[in-house]
Amino acid sequence: GGMSIDSDGDGMPDWWEWKHALNAADPSDAALDPDGDGLTNLAEFRAGTDPNSPDTDSDGMPDSWEAANGTCAFVADAISDPDSDGLANIEEMRLGTNPLVADTDGDGCSDGLEARNTRGNPLVADIAWGAPVDASARVSGASFSASTGTWRTDADGVAYAAERAGSLTWNLVVPAEGADALAVNIAQHNLYSKATTFDIALYVDGLFVTRQVVSAPYGGANDAFFFLPEIPAGEHEFRLVWHNWEVNTFLAVNDLRFVRFDGPDADNDGVADWKDHRAAESSSLGALPCESLVSPLCVEGRDLWRDVLEIEVEYPGTNAFFATVKTIGDGFYADIPLPENGTAVVSMHDRGLSDSFPVVWKPLDVFEGEFATNALAIREGDAIKIAPFDGKSSELTVSRANANGEWVAVTNWTSSAATPYCFSEKGLYLVEVVHHGIFADDVAYALIEVVRSRFPKRNPMVAIDIPQKLECPDLSPKGLVEHDAHLAVETEVKGEGLVLMLSASENRDLGLVSRLGEEGAILDAVQVTPAWFDNGTYCRVTKTFPDGSMEVAVSLLLGSLPSALTVKLEIFVSGVTFDDGTRTKILTADDIDENGHCTVVFLKARGVTTSVCHRTYLYQDDRLVHSNR
């Protein structure tokens, strides 16, 4: 039929060529690649992609990579995990691993575990995964010293959950010879449960170590290996947290032991290759300039043990410590003020690293002309040290463009030394430096663009797998938005700000960053907090009264909880109230325990045949996040 006509015989139907502005009478265009994504027009036709867009589905993964690696180039699947290794497709792309193979290098350790737990190389078989060596005796799960949630023990020393989530704490002795990992042997305790995996995290002495999803179906106990930071020998507190919201699944902890892992040693340094890779990946500080035009200096890096990370700065005559802000994954940043004179030596310290970098605040010489036509972009609140002409007394003027594009003087001064000036409001500025010479004036200009970009709150909440709109009126479209691989983000310009459409696929904090362009300084960073939208899927009759009415307890489980959370419950069937006689109940963070769990009590009148039907609304700062209305 007409839909199959291919006038030039190049393998692409005429209708498709017309649709994509190609020439249906020119067979040579089949071999062209107008969008530069590595796929010819003919390959784009066969793949179902757009020959004029290098990323047809706008999911951050080029069409050529998706076509070569078996993902779908015309469906946004960046946060999908088809091989169930714990890595989203876009993470696999960045790591170079196969998104359809859970263990790319075939060493027995999945790509996700290598990327997030062992920190070995997922592209090289570098660990003897199937042969862990015990470094200590086994300790029974039932020997825990503290817990949250409800747990029971049996005669075999097993600790098992009696509700949907919780934590266990043990005081364990790290052997003098050291250990690579803590092996926690777990299983499904409920014979009738369909759940086969458990999402568990480990904390040591209160510090987060790692989190993983472990397969352990009923009758198939399995070891969860938690690779450890450098921990001194002796007794430490180990806390296991089980994240879950599904019903009828109960985690059992059989025992715990410390283990070591061997592996190939390609460089013959006496250390297994996976350990070399782990050491190299554990901490890093982004390359710092020897000189910076701007203060504070944005320092970035990543660190596995960010909770014990310190940024120390040695100034002339004093030292200071600065807190870091979490960004994406193991990433962090800190804003470091630079001294007006002298050198700042920036050092990063954690349990395994100590590096130092000297940085000098460089004056801006407008006479060099670098920013005479192309503005220097800085953050609101940044300062620049403006130099006079050739160290001679000069008039310096800072002007700001008004709504009509006219320059309005903000301040001026006369100086023969470089002088810091802080740009405290967003806008376009003109810096003018004038030196009055004997015969003529020396005049030069520099353009400065000051950008303000702020997220509306510290920890915006989203419901898992449910797209949420977040209004960000102060988030500048001029900033580059970066995000965790398990957080899908779509942006839309609205006025001077952005509207973000967020969708999370995991119940853990997910980083969201606004940056001053490619490789620019960080403008702001927040953690998006995903929560389960649980309407109370687990309920039971806890008491029957003499008149036939009943007390019903309903379990709500939300998981991670951000600040300013409010949950509104609204009963919509007759004959049912809450235990205080009302039909509407408001819950706050104070009503919800550290596992994100809350029990709500209902009263059912005699003869009521319905359930305790109610609607649930999640709010944060009076913003409706989601409801089941």
Side-chain angles (χ1 to χ4, degrees), residues 368-525:
E368 291 182 354
E370 183 178 359
F371 305 108
T373 55
N374 297 317
L376 168 64
I378 65 174
R379 303 170 297 175
E380 186 179 69
D382 282 348
I384 294 176
K385 195 162 60 168
I386 304 171
F389 172 74
D390 198 25
K392 301 175 182 178
S393 180
S394 305
E395 293 179 3
L396 297 90
T397 303
V398 177
S399 303
R400 184 178 178 216
N402 64 17
N404 298 320
E406 301 165 334
W407 295 113
V408 178
V410 176
T411 187
N412 60 78
W413 68 93
T414 300
S415 178
S416 58
T419 307
Y421 179 79
C422 179
F423 293 82
S424 58
E425 293 186 35
K426 68 177 181 178
L428 183 64
Y429 291 80
L430 180 72
V431 175
E432 178 186 28
V433 179
V434 178
H435 170 254
H436 297 292
I438 297 175
F439 301 107
D441 292 344
D442 297 292
V443 184
Y445 304 91
L447 291 170
I448 310 293
E449 183 175 20
V450 180
V451 178
R452 177 175 65 205
S453 193
R454 293 286 185 269
F455 293 101
K457 52 178 63 67
R458 294 303 85 199
N459 290 80
M461 180 173 70
V462 298
I464 293 177
D465 293 329
I466 301 174
Q468 307 287 312
K469 182 181 290 187
L470 183 65
E471 300 274 352
C472 303
D474 291 322
L475 192 64
S476 174
K478 297 177 181 178
L480 175 67
V481 176
E482 300 174 337
H483 54 88
D484 189 285
H486 289 268
L487 181 67
V489 179
E490 296 180 8
T491 62
E492 177 186 342
V493 177
K494 182 178 180 181
E496 294 186 354
L498 292 175
V499 176
L500 304 183
M501 185 63 73
L502 307 176
S503 181
S505 60
E506 287 195 354
N507 175 236
R508 61 178 175 87
D509 283 351
L510 303 171
L512 189 59
V513 169
S514 177
R515 185 184 295 281
L516 196 60
E518 293 282 351
E519 300 184 0
I522 289 180
L523 292 154
D524 197 15

Side-chain angles (χ1 to χ4, degrees), residues 543-551 604-607:
K543 187 182 298 184
T544 300
F545 299 101
D547 65 355
S549 62
M550 292 180 291
E551 179 184 270
K604 285 178 61 174
R606 178 181 178 181

